[in-house]
Amino acid sequence: MSRKTIFVVKLTDEDREYLNQFIRHGRASVRSVTRARILLVADEGYSNKDIVKVLLITRPTVNRIRKIYCQEGLDSAINDKPRSGAPPKIDGTIAAQVTLLACSKLSEGKSTWTLKLLADKIVEMEVVEPISAMTVQRILKKAKPSLGRRLDGVLRGNKRLHHAYGRCAGPV
């Protein structure tokens, strides 16, 4: 029979004061404040079952926060570890090139750029690996306020982008 290890939280006076200030300050995330409350209540000697009832959280959360505090310290217990996340595939230079291309004249005998044509042209220019028409639309949507004006401030008129199947994607 294996018994789970119960991690006993013994806060120093400095840690207790820090956590009380942390909760009162009101500028931390809700998760961090909840973790601070778990540590304060656990320091008062309450069981996990009581902490779960008082703070309306799950028992594994209480166990995890107690364990992290005992093994890694106060800072690790109340703050999230940084997450790597995926780097953005489209940066500002690529978005600028897409925007610049959308504002340029179309030399293929067509009157307006379609999102599909823009996506194909960007790939052809080797600016980026394959890109979808919807990604081009998101890029242009973010740049929309600056697309309606030239550098000298003169309005461009009512140019519109069109989807490959003919529906209008919105003004440029």
Side-chain angles (χ1 to χ4, degrees), residues 9 11 15-16 18-47 50-52 54-57 61-62 65-66 74 77-79:
V9 175
L11 295 173
D15 286 348
R16 193 175 301 108
Y18 173 77
L19 290 174
N20 283 321
Q21 289 295 326
F22 185 79
I23 290 171
R24 278 190 238 128
H25 197 264
R27 295 187 191 261
S29 70
V30 173
R31 292 176 63 161
S32 296
V33 171
T34 301
R35 292 170 183 172
R37 286 189 174 132
I38 290 170
L39 293 174
L40 286 170
V41 174
D43 182 53
E44 294 176 7
Y46 287 94
S47 67
D50 294 335
I51 295 171
V52 166
V54 170
L55 298 179
L56 302 174
I57 52 177
T61 302
V62 176
I65 299 304
R66 280 181 181 254
L74 180 64
I78 61 172
N79 296 316

Side-chain angles (χ1 to χ4, degrees), residues 56-124:
L56 302 174
I57 52 177
T58 63
R59 187 175 287 188
T61 302
V62 176
N63 290 335
R64 190 181 74 253
I65 299 304
R66 280 181 181 254
K67 180 180 177 181
I68 292 172
Y69 174 75
C70 291
Q71 291 179 346
E72 300 176 25
L74 180 64
D75 192 46
S76 296
I78 61 172
N79 296 316
D80 287 326
K81 292 180 182 175
R83 299 176 185 177
S84 63
K89 295 178 182 175
I90 306 295
D91 62 358
T93 56
I94 295 172
Q97 289 177 338
V98 170
T99 305
L100 202 67
L101 184 63
C103 292
S104 69
K105 294 231 181 233
L106 187 60
S107 62
E108 298 175 7
K110 298 188 179 189
S111 61
T112 58
W113 282 102
T114 65
L115 294 173
K116 179 73 175 142
L117 279 174
L118 282 170
D120 292 343
K121 185 68 173 181
I122 289 293
V123 172
E124 180 184 315

